[in-house]
Amino acid sequence: MEHLEQQERQRVWEKIQKALLNEQIDQFRAEFLELHPYDQARIFEEQEEDIRFLIYTYLSPNEMADVIEHVDRDLVNEFIIEMVPAFAAKILEEMSTDDAVDILNELDKNKVASFLTIMDKEESEEIKELLHYEEKTAGSIMTTEFVVIHHQMTVKEAMRHLRKEAPDAETIYYIYVVDSDKKLVGVISLRDLIIAEGDWLIQEVMSERVVSVPVGEDQEEIAQMMRDYDFLALPVVDFQNHLLGIITVDDIMDVMEEEASDDYSKLAGISEVERFGDTAIQSAKKRLPWLIVLLFLGMFTASIIGRFEEALDKVALLAVFIPVIAGMAGNTGTQALAVAVRSISTGDMNKIGKATVIWQEAKTGIITGTVCGILITGIVGFWYGDLYLGILVGISIMATLFVATIAGAFVPIVMDRFNIDPAVASGPFITTLNDIISMLIYFGLATVFMDLLIGG
Amino acid sequence: MEHLEQQERQRVWEKIQKALLNEQIDQFRAEFLELHPYDQARIFEEQEEDIRFLIYTYLSPNEMADVIEHVDRDLVNEFIIEMVPAFAAKILEEMSTDDAVDILNELDKNKVASFLTIMDKEESEEIKELLHYEEKTAGSIMTTEFVVIHHQMTVKEAMRHLRKEAPDAETIYYIYVVDSDKKLVGVISLRDLIIAEGDWLIQEVMSERVVSVPVGEDQEEIAQMMRDYDFLALPVVDFQNHLLGIITVDDIMDVMEEEASDDYSKLAGISEVERFGDTAIQSAKKRLPWLIVLLFLGMFTASIIGRFEEALDKVALLAVFIPVIAGMAGNTGTQALAVAVRSISTGDMNKIGKATVIWQEAKTGIITGTVCGILITGIVGFWYGDLYLGILVGISIMATLFVATIAGAFVPIVMDRFNIDPAVASGPFITTLNDIISMLIYFGLATVFMDLLIGG
């Protein structure tokens, strides 16, 4: 994705490239440091190894940290490992603690230990603490670089403190207030702070109703909360309400993107999100587990049809409608599934109630089933001139759509009840389940009405 | 979703409810106004009509505007219409312009015209302008309440201006700088402003490399950009670089949620996102168009199998494997589709290149096809004691998985090429397309090798 205008970007890129090739450090720095770190990272990623080593000598660890924070997470380890360890450690020191932790989490244990040894003591302690938190919880996405003020400071003192801390803090737009036990007691926005009188006490102007999250909270819940309350940052506390860190909105946008990709991939039956740069073998490995499970489920469907071989021997035409009936069952099931999974994850499900959702889906299934059933009865009856066959296929579609729609909503609701992520009930799984249901209905009806079919 | 702790919320809710039933305005206001508007909206939504009318008299238009901004968008029109028009107009005046426009966009034209007539002239002009922008563009999600400063102001003057404007502005954390022609020339964060010396000129401390978006830009692009650059706000400009409005991160989080729901629903074959509160008939209406198209495509599959009736008559067993072959084609196609759609929408597709993606999918298809093909040859050969049948089914699965995987990636890429939203190529569509391909492969092979099958 190109965000600077294409042409402008091209021009700047060429200037920078030229400066690098001619080893003109001043020209390079002048152009490169003017760019947003996102663009710096795009340029840096495109360089060959020898040019990258040049850049490591041209930039300070602090400047390089900005670049590394914006480099694609799948490439960053390679860069960190190729650097002189002392330089890499300095960069990790300069980065936001939460980003440094993200990177270290992907490295092998020995490397992490050696970086932590070289690093500044204070910073490495902070990182070590964050490394303990479970992935996808508040603890793992929070940062410990935030501004905190005491409730008995005056507004003037707070502003002075803020000016001093601003350059290192992740955000200064929400300032959290603690008491002498370091417990969170309030919050004040910079907006309110700059319009308050200088000699007022913070505890008089702060808001006491501060919303916080426990350190073990799931990141998806936090994203939902930030979106609902329009927060720019959220404080993270332990069970005694001590302030541990803050989560900022830019990290939450990454979480939202990640969770959306995750739900989307699961609906399509991919166990793990595929990444930019995966090889074909890696992609195949991620897809095969599901495909093999579905293959065995498919063989089960085959064995069910096998039981009706007698009926098939008598009326071979029956086979012709297998894909359309199984397919419609799969389609309607996937629709119902998607609606249910989405309304569980947005919380709408709790507002409406599970029984209501299933009842609603049952009614929807009756409507879609009746419409499609009547349509296909007409088409088959007319096309093959066999009204009985038409009615058989029509009733099968109707019954199938009804059952498959309910199944699509029921499966994720049951999973959610047992605390399994409902998104695991992917489209292909529901589709294969509904294949089985639909074949039982179709061939069951065909067997019962066999006399009419042969007579017709 | 309950964000205040359940118990605490219950307690506060009961207090508020009691105050309302006893018509104790002071108690109600004391408790209610302490809450975050998100929670106020949740409580308000649950009230009966007579209690709502009481609330309209207890709160000022300004206070009510906060509530209405957080009410579920599907319910808000009902509330706006039931109010005394003058009160509703006052509320719309007090709301963020972008939220007011969102609400008016859903009302009928006559209502909108009458509200705009009652409203304060200046505010109604602003709303009228925004009403013209196309949905899902920068213009439709931007707000016109922002702080703008002149490049020749001093830092001190700018701070004074800011303090005055802060209460009405949507955000004050990024302040945009214009020249005498009202053209956007720079930006300064409040963070930088408060650490700058008071008598410096803004043009000396501002950043000139301000990233802006044209007013017609697609909202999904803007979300991507905000996430990449970690912005809290983005300025919107016309073609002459005049500053028209700003987009804030809280609106972008809503856009991200909306776009994710949209992609997700399309993958499942639902044309329009279903909403909380849809009746069964409304749900059925949204799902039926796709189902009917798929029904006709399914009949096409049926007619293809019909051409092989002769083969089916000879070997009825062939029918048994129809669902597993068609199913596997659908599953693998949906996986490839999801990966392709996702990498188009995140921009990764451009980085890797389209040809590379298809080549990658082809290789993946060969691997998954070979693994599944060998597996099923073994199972069928062993189970039915018919090696030729096993090989036929195995080769069909292999060929099908190869072709279906490519088709899954190819269709969205082609659509994107022709500027059709690739997410329209939903899972059910690809599944049905792959049903047809797989049946052609399976019965084609069966016909060619019929002699072996009958012999075996």
Side-chain angles (χ1 to χ4, degrees):
Chain A
M1 192 121 318
E2 317 299 358
H3 291 323
L4 274 179
E5 303 222 8
Q6 198 66 41
Q7 221 179 332
E8 163 75 359
R9 188 173 191 272
Q10 193 62 31
R11 198 188 55 75
V12 173
W13 194 88
E14 274 163 18
K15 260 192 179 171
I16 291 173
Q17 206 66 28
K18 216 175 112 197
L20 281 170
L21 291 175
N22 298 337
E23 306 195 9
Q24 295 164 311
I25 176 164
D26 293 336
Q27 250 113 323
F28 168 75
R29 288 179 55 85
E31 287 293 331
F32 190 76
L33 294 176
E34 269 294 296
L35 295 176
H36 187 284
Y38 175 81
D39 294 315
Q40 294 177 351
R42 296 291 82 69
I43 289 175
F44 173 75
E45 284 172 3
E46 285 173 33
Q47 303 303 322
E48 300 292 328
E49 195 180 342
D50 54 329
I51 301 284
R52 286 203 302 270
F53 275 92
L54 213 56
I55 295 178
Y56 299 148
T57 65
Y58 285 180
L59 295 179
S60 72
N62 190 11
E63 290 157 354
M64 197 63 218
D66 281 346
V67 180
I68 291 292
E69 278 187 18
H70 287 82
V71 161
D72 196 306
R73 280 290 140 91
D74 298 328
L75 304 172
V76 73
N77 293 348
E78 186 192 328
F79 300 143
I80 291 288
I81 289 171
E82 73 181 10
M83 294 175 191
V84 179
F87 186 70
K90 273 254 175 280
I91 287 175
L92 290 166
E93 259 177 61
E94 297 285 348
M95 288 174 72
S96 299
T97 322
D98 54 340
D99 288 322
V101 169
D102 272 1
I103 291 174
L104 289 173
N105 260 326
E106 301 285 320
L107 292 182
D108 93 37
K109 297 247 148 126
N110 292 324
K111 285 261 173 235
V112 175
S114 76
F115 281 133
L116 289 175
T117 322
I118 321 175
M119 239 181 242
D120 172 78
K121 195 107 186 188
E122 196 187 331
E123 186 66 28
S124 86
E125 287 303 320
E126 276 180 23
I127 289 179
K128 266 185 218 158
E129 251 171 55
L130 288 184
L131 277 172
H132 287 138
Y133 294 112
E134 219 177 314
E135 253 196 293
K136 304 198 171 190
T137 63
S140 73
I141 55 172
M142 73 185 186
T143 178
T144 49
E145 285 130 333
F146 54 94
V147 187
V148 62
I149 54 180
H150 194 266
H151 64 136
Q152 278 166 343
M153 279 181 173
T154 62
V155 168
K156 212 170 192 170
E157 285 167 349
M159 279 300 283
R160 200 178 307 131
H161 180 67
L162 203 59
R163 282 203 190 87
K164 211 181 68 199
E165 299 285 329
D168 282 329
E170 180 110 354
T171 182
I172 57 160
Y173 301 132
Y174 280 73
I175 305 124
Y176 298 101
V177 186
V178 294
D179 62 15
S180 306
D181 294 333
K182 300 207 167 166
K183 287 188 183 175
L184 179 67
V185 292
V187 61
I188 181 163
S189 68
L190 181 54
R191 182 198 291 238
D192 290 336
L193 198 62
I194 65 166
I195 55 180
E197 296 290 334
D199 49 2
W200 285 355
L201 284 182
I202 290 298
Q203 61 186 4
E204 294 169 321
V205 288
M206 73 184 190
S207 159
E208 286 173 36
R209 293 232 175 183
V210 47
V211 179
S212 61
V213 291
V215 69
E217 182 73 295
D218 183 78
Q219 63 176 10
E220 198 164 5
E221 293 287 317
I222 299 167
Q224 185 71 33
M225 205 155 153
M226 239 164 172
R227 198 170 72 80
D228 286 343
Y229 288 93
D230 294 341
F231 288 137
L232 295 180
L234 259 180
V236 180
V237 294
D238 67 9
F239 70 108
Q240 288 178 309
N241 210 31
H242 292 116
L243 185 57
L244 301 178
I246 65 166
I247 297 172
T248 49
V249 72
D250 54 304
D251 297 321
I252 285 302
M253 285 201 282
D254 294 338
V255 168
M256 286 176 72
E257 189 72 26
E258 190 186 318
E259 296 281 347
S261 288
D262 208 43
D263 284 357
Y264 191 82
S265 298
K266 281 181 185 152
L267 182 63
I270 303 170
S271 51
E272 212 182 318
V273 179
E274 291 189 24
R275 287 180 177 191
F276 161 59
D278 272 359
T279 65
I281 292 177
Q282 285 168 324
S283 294
K285 266 193 193 160
K286 286 177 184 172
R287 297 184 197 177
L288 268 173
W290 257 118
L291 286 175
I292 291 173
V293 169
L294 294 169
L295 191 68
F296 279 94
L297 278 174
M299 285 310 296
F300 185 66
T301 319
S303 82
I304 284 172
I305 303 179
R307 299 199 178 185
F308 296 102
E309 215 186 321
E310 203 187 328
L312 274 167
D313 257 337
K314 285 188 194 147
V315 189
L317 206 55
L318 283 177
V320 165
F321 301 102
I322 292 177
V324 64
I325 293 173
M328 291 301 283
N331 297 334
T332 188
T334 306
Q335 291 179 329
L337 169 80
V339 172
V341 169
R342 203 68 209 164
S343 72
I344 288 172
S345 78
T346 57
D348 280 347
M349 181 72 81
N350 289 328
K351 287 188 205 155
I352 326 177
K354 288 167 189 171
T356 318
V357 169
I358 300 215
W359 173 232
Q360 175 97 350
E361 287 297 334
K363 286 189 287 184
T364 308
I366 287 178
I367 300 171
T368 54
T370 308
V371 172
C372 293
I374 292 174
L375 255 172
I376 205 150
T377 302
I379 298 170
V380 175
F382 183 76
W383 196 337
Y384 292 88
D386 186 340
L387 190 62
Y388 289 121
L389 185 66
I391 292 176
L392 170 69
V393 178
I395 292 181
S396 299
I397 290 262
M398 198 175 91
T400 294
L401 256 59
F402 174 64
V403 178
T405 307
I406 295 177
F410 191 71
V411 171
I413 288 178
V414 169
M415 287 182 136
D416 188 47
R417 185 69 179 234
F418 289 103
N419 277 324
I420 305 169
D421 179 0
V424 170
S426 69
F429 173 71
I430 284 289
T431 300
T432 308
L433 181 74
N434 281 332
D435 277 358
I436 296 171
I437 295 172
S438 66
M439 288 301 105
L440 279 173
I441 293 175
Y442 179 48
F443 282 104
L445 287 173
T447 308
V448 173
F449 296 109
M450 187 48 81
D451 292 344
L452 285 175
L453 289 173
I454 297 176
Chain B
M1 191 123 315
E2 318 297 356
H3 291 324
L4 273 179
E5 305 224 7
Q6 199 64 42
Q7 220 180 333
E8 163 75 359
R9 187 173 191 269
Q10 193 62 30
R11 198 187 54 76
V12 173
W13 193 89
E14 273 162 21
K15 261 191 178 171
I16 291 173
Q17 206 64 28
K18 214 174 115 196
L20 281 170
L21 291 176
N22 298 336
E23 305 196 10
Q24 295 164 310
I25 176 164
D26 293 336
Q27 249 112 327
F28 168 75
R29 287 179 56 85
E31 287 294 330
F32 190 76
L33 294 176
E34 269 295 295
L35 295 177
H36 187 283
Y38 175 81
D39 294 314
Q40 293 177 352
R42 295 293 79 69
I43 290 174
F44 173 76
E45 283 173 3
E46 284 172 34
Q47 303 302 322
E48 300 292 328
E49 195 180 342
D50 53 330
I51 299 285
R52 287 204 302 269
F53 275 90
L54 213 56
I55 294 177
Y56 299 147
T57 64
Y58 286 0
L59 296 179
S60 72
N62 190 10
E63 290 156 354
M64 198 64 218
D66 281 345
V67 180
I68 290 292
E69 278 188 19
H70 287 83
V71 161
D72 195 307
R73 278 293 138 90
D74 298 327
L75 303 171
V76 72
N77 293 350
E78 185 193 327
F79 301 143
I80 291 288
I81 290 171
E82 73 182 8
M83 295 176 190
V84 180
F87 185 69
K90 274 253 174 277
I91 288 175
L92 290 166
E93 258 177 61
E94 297 286 348
M95 288 174 73
S96 301
T97 322
D98 53 342
D99 288 322
V101 169
D102 273 1
I103 291 173
L104 290 173
N105 260 327
E106 300 286 320
L107 293 181
D108 95 37
K109 298 246 150 130
N110 291 325
K111 284 261 173 232
V112 174
S114 75
F115 281 133
L116 290 175
T117 322
I118 321 176
M119 241 182 241
D120 172 76
K121 195 107 188 188
E122 195 186 331
E123 186 66 28
S124 87
E125 285 304 320
E126 277 182 23
I127 288 179
K128 265 184 218 158
E129 250 172 56
L130 288 184
L131 278 172
H132 287 138
Y133 294 112
E134 220 177 313
E135 254 195 292
K136 304 199 172 189
T137 63
S140 74
I141 54 171
M142 73 185 185
T143 178
T144 47
E145 285 130 332
F146 55 94
V147 187
V148 62
I149 54 180
H150 195 267
H151 65 135
Q152 278 167 343
M153 278 182 175
T154 63
V155 168
K156 210 172 195 168
E157 285 167 347
M159 279 300 284
R160 202 178 306 130
H161 180 68
L162 203 60
R163 284 204 188 85
K164 212 180 68 200
E165 298 285 328
D168 281 330
E170 180 110 354
T171 183
I172 58 160
Y173 301 132
Y174 280 72
I175 306 123
Y176 298 101
V177 185
V178 293
D179 63 13
S180 307
D181 295 332
K182 301 208 168 167
K183 286 188 183 175
L184 179 66
V185 292
V187 61
I188 181 162
S189 67
L190 181 55
R191 182 198 291 241
D192 291 335
L193 198 62
I194 66 166
I195 56 180
E197 296 289 334
D199 49 1
W200 284 354
L201 283 183
I202 290 297
Q203 61 186 5
E204 294 169 322
V205 290
M206 73 183 190
S207 160
E208 285 173 36
R209 294 234 175 181
V210 48
V211 179
S212 61
V213 291
V215 68
E217 181 73 297
D218 183 79
Q219 64 174 11
E220 197 164 4
E221 293 287 317
I222 299 167
Q224 186 71 35
M225 205 156 153
M226 237 163 174
R227 198 171 73 79
D228 286 343
Y229 288 93
D230 294 341
F231 289 138
L232 296 180
L234 260 179
V236 180
V237 295
D238 66 10
F239 70 107
Q240 289 179 310
N241 210 30
H242 292 115
L243 184 57
L244 301 178
I246 64 165
I247 297 171
T248 49
V249 72
D250 55 303
D251 297 321
I252 285 303
M253 285 201 282
D254 294 339
V255 167
M256 287 176 70
E257 187 73 27
E258 189 185 320
E259 296 282 348
S261 287
D262 208 41
D263 284 357
Y264 191 83
S265 298
K266 279 179 185 153
L267 182 63
I270 305 171
S271 50
E272 210 183 319
V273 178
E274 292 189 25
R275 287 182 175 191
F276 161 59
D278 270 0
T279 64
I281 292 177
Q282 284 168 324
S283 294
K285 265 193 194 161
K286 287 177 183 172
R287 297 186 197 176
L288 268 172
W290 257 119
L291 286 176
I292 291 173
V293 169
L294 295 169
L295 190 69
F296 278 94
L297 279 175
M299 285 310 296
F300 185 65
T301 318
S303 82
I304 284 173
I305 303 181
R307 297 196 181 189
F308 296 103
E309 214 184 323
E310 204 187 327
L312 274 168
D313 257 335
K314 285 191 196 144
V315 189
L317 207 55
L318 283 178
V320 166
F321 301 102
I322 293 177
V324 65
I325 294 173
M328 290 301 283
N331 297 334
T332 190
T334 307
Q335 290 179 331
L337 168 81
V339 172
V341 168
R342 203 66 210 165
S343 73
I344 289 172
S345 79
T346 59
D348 281 346
M349 181 73 81
N350 289 329
K351 287 188 205 158
I352 327 177
K354 286 166 190 171
T356 318
V357 169
I358 298 211
W359 173 232
Q360 174 97 351
E361 288 295 335
K363 286 189 288 183
T364 308
I366 287 178
I367 300 172
T368 53
T370 309
V371 173
C372 293
I374 292 174
L375 255 173
I376 205 152
T377 303
I379 297 171
V380 174
F382 184 76
W383 196 337
Y384 292 87
D386 187 338
L387 190 62
Y388 289 120
L389 185 66
I391 293 174
L392 169 69
V393 178
I395 293 181
S396 299
I397 289 264
M398 199 177 89
T400 294
L401 254 58
F402 174 66
V403 179
T405 306
I406 297 176
F410 191 70
V411 171
I413 288 177
V414 169
M415 287 183 137
D416 188 45
R417 187 69 178 234
F418 288 102
N419 277 326
I420 305 169
D421 178 0
V424 170
S426 70
F429 173 69
I430 284 288
T431 300
T432 309
L433 182 73
N434 280 332
D435 277 357
I436 297 171
I437 295 173
S438 65
M439 288 302 105
L440 279 173
I441 292 176
Y442 178 47
F443 282 104
L445 287 172
T447 308
V448 173
F449 297 109
M450 186 50 83
D451 292 344
L452 285 175
L453 287 173
I454 296 177

